Amino acid sequence: MMKRFLFVLILPVIFFSGCATARIPAYLVDQKPFTERFFTDHQRTLHAVQQALNELGWNIEQEMEPGIFEIQPGYSGWKKTLLITNVRIVGRTLVCHERMNIYVRSHEDISEVEIRIFKVKNWGIFKTKSFGNKKIAGNFFQLIQKNLEVVL
C-alpha cells in the first residue's frame, strides 16, 4: 500500500520533469523556412513584421544583421534584418516551447520575409523537436499583408 502511494506521488514528478529545461538556440538553422514576397520597402515591411509579431503575442529579443550567423550570397546589395523572438511557452497540458527567427530582406521596393520556427514539445519523459509550422506562418504572413495595407 505504501509503495503504491509513493508511486502515485513520484510518477507526476518523473512525468513532468524537464519542463523548464527546453533549450532553444537563438539562431535557427535553415530547415523548413517559409518565405513570402511583399512589394514595399524595407522600413515598411519591417514595421509590419514587428506589428504582426506583437499582435500574435511574440516579443522580439534581438534585432541584428543576419551576416553574423550566415552568408547569403544571393542577397548581396539587399538590406537585411534578422529578428529573433523570445522563447514562448504554449499549452497547458502539453508544454511547448517555441522560437521564431524572421529575416527581412529588401531591394528597392521588393521585400522578402522568411520565417524559421522551432518547437520543442515536452511529453514528460522525452521531448520532440520540430522545425516549421504552416499554420503559424500562414497567419503571420496574413497579418503582415493586413498591416501593410493599413500603412498604405
Side-chain angles (χ1 to χ4, degrees):
M1 180 72 168
M2 184 64 154
K3 287 182 182 179
R4 185 177 293 170
F5 179 72
L6 285 174
F7 181 74
V8 169
L9 284 177
I10 293 174
L11 185 63
V13 172
I14 292 170
F15 185 74
F16 291 109
S17 66
C19 288
T21 60
R23 294 192 179 165
I24 299 178
Y27 167 73
L28 303 177
V29 295
D30 187 9
Q31 288 188 354
K32 292 189 181 177
F34 298 92
T35 306
E36 189 85 22
R37 245 182 204 185
F38 300 95
F39 296 96
T40 183
D41 63 56
H42 190 78
Q43 270 315 113
R44 283 186 182 162
T45 306
L46 186 59
H47 182 69
V49 166
Q50 291 167 337
Q51 279 184 302
L53 284 170
N54 189 36
E55 290 173 33
L56 290 172
W58 292 89
N59 295 317
I60 299 170
E61 183 178 288
Q62 296 177 344
E63 182 175 329
M64 64 184 62
E65 164 66 34
I68 295 170
F69 295 107
E70 63 185 42
I71 297 170
Q72 301 170 329
Y75 295 99
S76 63
W78 288 51
K79 188 168 183 175
K80 297 170 269 195
T81 304
L82 168 61
L83 302 173
I84 297 174
T85 65
N86 285 338
V87 174
R88 183 170 81 165
I89 299 172
V90 181
R92 293 188 181 123
T93 55
L94 179 65
V95 178
C96 296
H97 295 79
E98 299 174 326
R99 182 185 294 263
M100 286 201 317
N101 285 180
I102 300 95
Y103 290 79
V104 179
R105 304 176 194 102
S106 304
H107 183 68
E108 296 176 6
D109 282 342
I110 297 174
S111 295
E112 189 176 272
V113 177
E114 178 182 306
I115 303 169
R116 299 177 186 179
I117 304 166
F118 184 66
K119 181 185 284 191
V120 176
K121 287 185 183 177
N122 186 356
W123 296 90
I125 298 172
F126 64 94
K127 296 175 179 71
T128 58
K129 299 175 182 179
S130 62
F131 284 91
N133 186 316
K134 202 176 222 177
K135 184 178 177 183
I136 290 175
N139 290 341
F140 189 65
F141 288 135
Q142 284 179 349
L143 274 174
I144 294 170
Q145 187 63 47
K146 183 189 89 162
N147 292 337
L148 286 172
E149 289 168 0
V150 169
V151 172
L152 297 174

